[in-house]
Amino acid sequence: MTLSPRTLVDKIWDRHVVEDMGDGWALLHIDRHLLHDLSGPGSLIDIKRRELGVGQPRQVLAIADHLVSTEPHRMAESSSVGSAMWAVLKEETDTAGIEVAGAEDPGQGIVHVAGPEQGFVLPGLTIICGDSHTCTNGALGALAFGVGSSQSAQALVTRVLLQQRPRQMRVTVTGTFGTATSAKDLALHLISTLGASAGVGYAIEYAGPVVTAMEIEQRLTLCNLTVELGAKFGLIAPDEKTLAWLEGRRLAPTGADWLEACAAWQSLHSEPGASFDREEQVDATGVDPMVTWGTSPEHAVPITGTVPLPSDAANSDQARSWSEAQDYMGVAGGKSLIGTPIDWVFIGSCANSRLSDLRAASEIVRGQRVPDEVTAWVVPGSEQVRREAEKEGLDRVFVEAGFAWRRSGCSLCVAANGDRVPSGARCVSTSNRNFVGRQGPGARTHLASPVTAAAAAIAGRLVDPRQI
Amino acid sequence: MVTAPFTVVRSRAVPLLIPNVDTDVIIRVERMMSSDPDHLAKWAFESIRYDSSGAPREDFVLNDPEYVGSEILLAGDNFGCGSSREPAVWAVMGLGFRCVIAPSFGDIFAANCLTNGVLPVSLPADAAEQLAAGARRFEEITVDLPSQEIRLESRCWTFDIGRVHKLMLVDALDEMALAIRHLKTVERWEIRDHNERPWAWTQGRQAGMDLGEHSP
């Protein structure tokens, strides 16, 4: 029997089918499981209520991120909303024998930053979390996806989930990045050109010379925004860079296991001639620094572009949604965004809070000063990122420029822990969602890269980072 | 968790045809600390349902008394995109909806619907528009799961659903219970996998060990 050439997704999928349920549905084995303090407690309580137990607790890693305080001298109790959820997460994970990290632990961080960083995420694994940005972890060649708290509970007990084999899309990125552009700009470019629902039902594999040339942290950013394109899986085939990045991390395999893993990962890529349901090509050379003007990540334009006119929308529903988004954001169709005064800047989130993001932003702000009327925050993606950045003196660069240097967590990306952008205030944010009220009721969010956000912080308005 | 079998639902349908309604709009994060359906229903769609003083917006369809008791929500493209928060589905259920019809759904939202016994039906945009026209005239729409049909007056559209999910909805079966029935197979798979992929299992881990630093 000759097998037709398989894709990366096919290979991981086929390896994990425990039971074929017909029509493309399967009980898929879930190798690893991340829990956080917002969705994790509900899953664990669900299991307790049903008088069931966690099947493979050592394949689970729990970290408090959504609800932790990001204040400099925080403790577990510092977040009033988070302390009760943390108490449940801590008690239930201790009972189940699951490793857990909270606000006072050195391994704390946003799950999609700390998980890869600690070597918990590996190529070829299936990984879930009660969090849509679990797709971030696909950057290491894992099939990683977000689920609700009920499916999270199911997988904790049974290690399988009923899943449909996704359609497959490959996005091939050619060319080279221009000045001040990065994976974030590429992702926003893709979402704005293909649309926020382009990926519904798909797994998206990113490939091509630009992806190969990207450092791992940039790949994590690219995969992170896959869910904003509508797909719950985004992934990149592991290569030598992936292996070098993973080797020696705390939970990565060691010794003979490491060698065996590396051997297995050699074949973890889409074969020549493998077929995809959809193929997209994008030339990174033509991608400018991007910024969003509205309330969906697809509402993005080059920083030098103009806000679209509702009269140019494809249909009346889109015209109405553009016009409502523009009212909410206080921007006008047909106008440039450059020069728009801003009130807040947030550098953080599982999209852009890793060491390389902080380094890039720090280069812009070094020796500069944030105007008094702008509140600017840096929230490192993990405590490890924070410690490493401090070792390099990045904290001093930011603080001297007038930024607040905070502790790790989701913070202003989801505004669940009490950190909020005030109503009506305009925030340039390196996070991944500009939804209505996402950073606080009435808050106005412009998504951008760390470099564009840093440039805006210094200028006090939206600016083209290439002009700095 | 599924509580009631889903066979045929017939009711007026609420036309909420806004594209890309995300789950943050369906339920804000700070409202999720309670899973009480009445609490979630009260705060469902709050940023578009209430004005800045907290009063219901008269021009918002969910506040229209003509639609009280509707069990079908007609939504726009990519409904439920964004966050995986399951309380978004509980909020929709709290409002009394048992079926959501849209051109497409956020994948995780659709999965959460099925887990909770809510039927997500994907129909082409033109079918959704015809249904919406009927819904605005307060005509009743029939959702027939056993025959996989949506009916409005004399018109009829068929829809797809996986065999297992159809069974689970019609018989009100719980997904956890289904998976537990296969636990022996899972255990056999895992024993084999331990041998084939020892590196995928974390037996070397010790909780609370010194983290150390790893400089990339």
Side-chain angles (χ1 to χ4, degrees):
Chain A
M1 191 176 82
T2 48
L3 289 171
S4 55
R6 291 191 302 164
T7 66
L8 171 59
V9 169
D10 290 336
K11 289 176 181 178
I12 304 177
W13 186 274
D14 294 345
R15 183 77 189 74
H16 289 85
V17 172
V18 171
E19 191 87 61
D20 187 339
M21 306 297 278
D23 306 333
W25 289 83
L27 285 178
L28 199 70
H29 192 265
I30 304 304
D31 295 331
R32 293 200 181 172
H33 202 133
L34 288 159
L35 294 176
H36 63 56
D37 53 351
L38 185 63
S39 63
S43 305
L44 292 163
I45 292 295
D46 188 9
I47 292 169
K48 191 178 184 176
R49 199 171 40 78
R50 293 167 182 259
E51 300 181 339
L52 296 166
V54 175
Q56 296 281 3
R58 288 161 79 87
Q59 299 291 93
V60 186
L61 180 63
I63 309 176
D65 58 5
H66 279 61
L67 300 171
V68 293
S69 163
T70 58
E71 286 162 13
H73 303 291
R74 72 173 178 199
M75 293 189 295
E77 298 76 29
S78 300
S79 160
S80 56
V81 277
S83 55
M85 297 289 266
W86 164 247
V88 176
L89 186 69
K90 172 79 177 141
E91 186 183 339
E92 297 303 325
T93 49
D94 283 350
T95 304
I98 294 168
E99 182 183 335
V100 63
E104 296 169 48
D105 296 312
Q108 188 273 341
I110 306 173
V111 284
H112 314 307
V113 177
E117 171 188 271
Q118 295 181 27
F120 184 74
V121 175
L122 300 174
L125 298 183
T126 47
I127 298 171
I128 63 163
C129 177
D131 191 291
S132 60
H133 289 112
T134 309
C135 54
T136 311
N137 301 292
L140 298 176
L143 192 67
F145 59 103
V147 296
S149 45
S150 295
Q151 288 204 321
S152 169
Q154 280 173 41
L156 285 171
V157 174
T158 67
R159 291 89 69 203
V160 286
L161 278 183
L162 185 58
Q163 289 292 307
Q164 185 175 30
R165 183 189 282 266
R167 285 177 285 177
Q168 295 187 46
M169 185 191 307
R170 178 162 58 188
V171 175
T172 304
V173 191
T174 57
T176 45
F177 278 123
T179 312
T181 53
S182 64
K184 181 61 160 294
D185 302 296
L186 172 63
L188 290 174
H189 170 83
L190 282 168
I191 300 162
S192 67
T193 51
L194 301 179
S197 64
V200 169
Y202 283 95
I204 299 179
E205 181 183 344
Y206 299 97
V210 169
V211 175
T212 306
M214 274 183 190
E215 295 303 324
I216 298 300
E217 296 189 356
Q218 289 287 293
R219 295 182 189 179
L220 288 159
T221 299
L222 180 60
C223 287
N224 175 271
L225 282 116
T226 306
V227 70
E228 316 313 334
L229 200 48
K232 72 176 177 181
F233 313 93
L235 67 176
I236 294 169
D239 58 12
E240 289 305 320
K241 229 177 237 178
T242 316
L243 272 51
W245 191 84
L246 277 170
E247 189 173 12
R249 291 189 183 264
R250 181 174 74 97
L251 299 173
T254 54
D257 281 352
W258 173 254
L259 295 176
E260 206 171 315
C262 290
W265 297 336
Q266 292 299 323
S267 60
L268 212 51
H269 52 80
S270 293
E271 288 160 19
S275 82
F276 288 82
D277 301 286
R278 183 171 172 183
E279 293 255 21
E280 291 291 339
Q281 301 271 344
V282 58
D283 184 353
T285 316
V287 174
D288 290 305
M290 299 289 289
V291 63
T292 60
W293 54 264
T295 56
S296 160
E298 74 176 25
H299 297 160
V301 288
I303 185 77
T304 50
T306 55
V307 179
L309 287 163
S311 55
D312 292 336
N315 55 56
S316 62
D317 287 336
Q318 188 180 57
R320 197 169 62 238
S321 86
W322 282 8
S323 143
E324 278 171 10
Q326 290 170 10
D327 286 349
Y328 179 83
M329 289 295 293
V331 298
K335 296 276 170 32
S336 165
L337 288 165
I338 286 180
T340 309
I342 60 156
D343 308 296
W344 277 71
V345 168
F346 171 58
I347 296 177
S349 89
C350 56
N352 279 124
S353 61
R354 298 176 182 84
L355 190 59
S356 58
D357 297 319
L358 305 190
R359 283 177 182 155
S362 75
E363 287 311 307
I364 303 285
V365 309
R366 191 182 296 274
Q368 306 288 317
R369 187 74 201 168
V370 175
D372 289 344
E373 58 274 22
V374 173
T375 306
W377 284 18
V378 180
V379 180
S382 71
E383 285 294 282
Q384 184 168 321
V385 169
R386 180 182 64 79
R387 290 188 298 268
E388 287 172 352
E390 288 176 359
K391 240 184 259 172
E392 294 182 11
L394 301 186
D395 57 324
R396 288 193 305 279
V397 173
F398 284 111
V399 169
E400 281 163 16
F403 277 80
W405 178 257
R406 299 182 66 97
R407 300 289 290 273
S408 156
C410 299
S411 185
L412 286 173
C413 174
V414 62
N417 67 337
D419 294 349
R420 273 183 176 183
V421 172
S423 183
R426 188 176 300 284
C427 180
V428 183
S429 176
T430 66
S431 55
N432 35 42
R433 288 185 173 143
N434 52 348
F435 298 159
V436 169
R438 175 78 179 186
Q439 296 193 290
R444 294 164 164 169
T445 303
H446 294 279
L447 302 177
S449 73
V451 164
T452 302
I458 299 303
R461 56 199 164 79
L462 284 167
V463 287
D464 185 340
R466 293 168 298 196
Q467 305 301 319
I468 299 289
Chain B
M1 189 170 172
V2 180
T3 49
F6 191 117
T7 49
V8 178
V9 167
R10 182 179 165 88
S11 86
R12 289 183 178 182
V14 178
L16 184 69
L17 299 184
I18 309 168
N20 301 319
V21 170
D22 57 75
T23 53
D24 277 74
V25 164
I26 299 174
I27 194 80
R28 287 190 53 78
V29 74
E30 59 267 44
R31 310 297 184 195
M32 290 162 46
M33 302 307 155
S34 159
S35 56
D36 172 38
D38 292 336
H39 163 86
L40 294 170
K42 179 183 171 190
W43 294 113
F45 300 97
E46 67 174 291
S47 60
I48 49 178
R49 185 169 156 206
Y50 305 111
D51 66 22
S52 53
S53 72
R57 273 175 51 179
E58 273 185 29
D59 60 348
F60 187 62
V61 69
L62 277 168
N63 297 325
D64 185 338
E66 288 289 348
Y67 291 108
V68 169
S70 293
E71 294 183 87
I72 302 164
L73 180 63
L74 284 179
D77 191 36
N78 206 20
F79 184 74
C81 60
S83 160
S84 60
R85 58 188 66 176
E86 196 163 328
V89 172
W90 300 334
V92 166
M93 294 167 76
L95 290 171
F97 296 113
R98 303 197 58 209
C99 173
V100 188
I101 303 173
S104 72
F105 293 91
D107 285 333
I108 304 171
F109 179 83
N112 287 338
C113 281
L114 291 166
T115 305
N116 286 281
V118 173
L119 175 64
V121 174
S122 297
L123 284 185
D126 66 315
E129 275 164 31
Q130 290 185 55
L131 288 169
R136 290 193 191 97
R137 293 189 299 267
F138 310 120
E139 290 167 4
E140 291 203 325
I141 289 171
T142 303
V143 178
D144 184 334
L145 178 56
S147 61
Q148 295 181 222
E149 285 176 0
I150 306 287
R151 294 190 290 270
L152 168 70
E153 302 286 300
S154 60
R155 280 161 293 173
C156 177
W157 298 267
T158 57
F159 63 87
D160 289 330
I161 180 167
R163 184 184 59 88
V164 180
H165 279 116
K166 183 173 171 179
L167 266 175
M168 289 200 309
L169 283 164
V170 171
D171 294 339
L173 293 178
D174 189 57
E175 219 172 285
M176 173 86 88
L178 174 100
I180 286 173
R181 286 215 297 269
H182 292 268
L183 215 43
K184 280 273 170 275
T185 318
V186 177
E187 282 162 6
R188 279 197 300 273
W189 188 96
E190 288 184 338
I191 289 165
R192 200 189 70 209
D193 195 59
H194 258 282
N195 294 323
E196 292 177 358
R197 296 190 309 164
W199 55 268
W201 296 84
T202 53
Q203 62 271 57
R205 281 170 63 191
Q206 289 171 22
M209 64 191 278
D210 182 29
L211 279 168
E213 295 295 320
H214 180 101
S215 299

